[in-house]
Amino acid sequence: MSGFVFSEKPIRIERGEGTYLYDDSGTEYLDFGASYAVTPVGHCHPEVVSAAKDQLEELMFVQASYPNDARDACYSKLASVAPGDIENVWLCNSGTEANEAALKFARSATGRKKIVATQRAFHGRTMGSLAATWKQKYKKPFEPLAAGFETVPYGDGEALAEAVDEETAAVIVEPIQGEGGINAAPEGYLQAARETCDETGAALVFDEIQTGLGRTGEFWACEGEGVTPDILTSAKGLASGLPLGATLCKDWIAEDAGPHGSTFSGNPVVCAAAAATLDVLVEEDVPTHAAEMGEYLHEEIEAADLPIRDVRGRGLMTGIEVKRGSNRLLRDLALNHQVLALPAGRSVLRLLPPLVIDEEHVESVVGALAETMSASTES
């Protein structure tokens, strides 16, 4: 008996530690996918595990209308690392819920309906965030979706300016597109989006669910461009794999946000794990380490002279565009070299490792890539 939604891989994972996962036979796998960036400080980091265990023994759950120390600490730590003048936090269970909240808050705060998203974007799988997602394979089975959404080419500031008007509630953008192929916003694009929203009164939403928490070498990718949104969404590695999403808002959004809620908003155990994760990221300056390892990874890929079309990304968010399909390459890396990675479309290999990897891990992965690609070329 198995689930019917996910296509299960032929590897049964039993435990994780640091940058490694282990299957039921004890085989060790170097995890360079981190299950879509959900383990920024590594698997089962002792400080995160300890915080969650301690909280589990004190209070497993109480609804968000009752204050408690674990949730307050999570609120405070998230606000302290938020970019610019963002200070308000709403917690949920996933990235798509964080984006749903962002879109609802933008509509209620502005009194407008129109949402402008971008081509190749991925914002989640619930009905609102799915309407802002580009790829038809995710959308078509569930249509009709939420109304009022319009898409423009990613990275085109002029097209964005033409689409955004006084009826626009929000513009939602990924600073670097993940599922869309690891596409970084062109220089000046995020600033152009900021200026367009300022001119029209629309809310600027940055989806940092995959790019945040140090992944790109800054705590938030938007900080690398010097642009602060009105709303920022986070999830993935926020609680080191326990389910948590967050919608961070400027005051003008929070003050006029409509009624919204979630039964499990700010679960104390998950909040304790998140607070510990944030502590490790800040105290060990993990974003700086991610920037250094990302640069080393790109240097090693270039030096290996791999048969690829392109390598792109920032920090430890890397996309390798290959000449043949990525699925076979991913399978061979896992089964023959015990390296786990991810796809980003049919032709892009996506590397989103724990941010605590070292040079030896980078060299192992690039070596495995070289051997796998060489074997594929010969076959």
Side-chain angles (χ1 to χ4, degrees):
M1 181 72 68
S2 63
F4 68 94
V5 173
F6 292 101
S7 176
E8 294 186 346
K9 294 175 171 44
I11 301 170
R12 179 173 290 273
I13 300 299
E14 288 203 340
R15 66 184 183 92
E17 182 178 353
T19 57
Y20 294 96
L21 290 168
Y22 299 84
D23 69 13
D24 53 357
S25 68
T27 301
E28 179 181 82
Y29 294 86
L30 180 54
D31 187 7
F32 254 59
S35 293
Y36 297 94
V38 303
T39 56
V41 297
H43 293 281
C44 299
H45 191 287
E47 291 184 28
V48 178
V49 171
S50 177
K53 281 184 174 180
D54 288 347
Q55 183 59 47
L56 194 65
E57 293 177 350
E58 294 294 329
L59 178 66
M60 288 181 64
F61 180 71
V62 66
Q63 61 169 297
S65 57
Y66 293 102
N68 64 81
D69 290 346
R71 191 181 299 119
D72 286 350
C74 185
Y75 285 151
S76 176
K77 292 178 190 296
L78 262 174
S80 72
V81 298
D85 55 349
I86 294 177
E87 296 181 346
N88 304 281
V89 180
W90 184 78
L91 298 175
C92 54
N93 310 291
S94 66
T96 191
E97 290 176 73
N99 282 337
E100 290 280 341
L103 299 176
K104 290 176 72 175
F105 294 160
R107 280 183 166 174
S108 58
T110 63
R112 305 172 180 179
K113 297 179 180 179
K114 181 177 172 182
I115 307 291
V116 177
T118 64
Q119 296 174 6
R120 298 183 297 181
F122 182 87
H123 295 295
R125 297 178 187 268
T126 47
M127 297 298 272
S129 55
L130 191 57
T133 291
W134 171 248
K135 194 173 287 188
Q136 283 299 308
K137 81 169 188 176
Y138 297 129
K139 301 168 68 168
K140 193 170 182 60
F142 309 108
E143 293 175 340
L145 303 174
F149 288 76
E150 182 177 329
T151 56
V152 296
Y154 182 74
D156 188 333
E158 291 184 4
L160 183 65
E162 289 178 6
V164 179
D165 54 27
E166 282 69 24
E167 300 300 318
T168 304
V171 172
I172 182 167
V173 178
E174 298 162 276
I176 300 176
Q177 292 184 323
E179 181 74 12
I182 313 298
N183 307 304
E187 185 176 353
Y189 178 63
L190 299 184
Q191 182 59 48
R194 176 71 278 172
E195 292 170 1
T196 294
C197 288
D198 287 342
E199 291 169 2
T200 59
L204 179 59
V205 181
F206 284 163
D207 178 343
E208 292 244 19
I209 288 164
Q210 195 165 132
T211 56
L213 305 174
R215 171 87 20 209
T216 66
E218 305 278 354
F219 209 96
W220 309 104
C222 65
E223 292 177 313
E225 302 293 329
V227 181
T228 301
D230 300 293
I231 306 174
L232 182 146
T233 57
S234 178
K236 298 293 188 191
L238 185 51
S240 289
L242 294 184
L244 184 67
T247 306
L248 315 180
C249 306
K250 286 186 175 180
D251 287 345
W252 77 271
I253 296 289
E255 288 166 0
D256 290 317
H260 188 56
S262 170
T263 297
F264 297 108
S265 176
N267 176 287
V269 177
V270 180
C271 282
T277 300
L278 291 168
D279 282 343
V280 174
L281 289 169
V282 172
E283 292 169 6
E284 298 184 9
D285 195 12
V286 173
T288 297
H289 180 74
E292 294 169 351
M293 287 300 98
E295 183 177 355
Y296 187 64
L297 174 60
H298 281 241
E299 290 172 355
E300 288 294 292
I301 291 172
E302 183 177 352
D305 194 25
L306 302 173
I308 60 178
R309 289 193 175 96
D310 191 22
V311 58
R312 51 186 179 261
R314 204 157 76 226
L316 288 175
M317 185 175 185
T318 299
I320 302 172
E321 188 174 354
V322 297
K323 295 180 179 179
R324 300 188 179 188
S326 60
N327 287 333
R328 179 179 175 183
L329 176 60
L330 289 166
R331 182 199 65 193
D332 291 346
L333 280 171
L335 299 181
N336 299 332
H337 297 277
Q338 291 72 56
V339 171
L340 305 180
L342 299 162
R346 294 181 179 179
S347 62
V348 177
L349 183 74
R350 180 170 21 170
L351 303 179
L352 301 171
L355 305 183
V356 293
I357 60 168
D358 59 29
E359 292 184 354
E360 183 179 349
H361 298 130
V362 170
E363 292 161 7
S364 294
V365 166
V366 175
L369 280 169
E371 289 186 31
T372 302
M373 289 180 175
S374 175
S376 175
T377 301
E378 294 171 0
S379 62

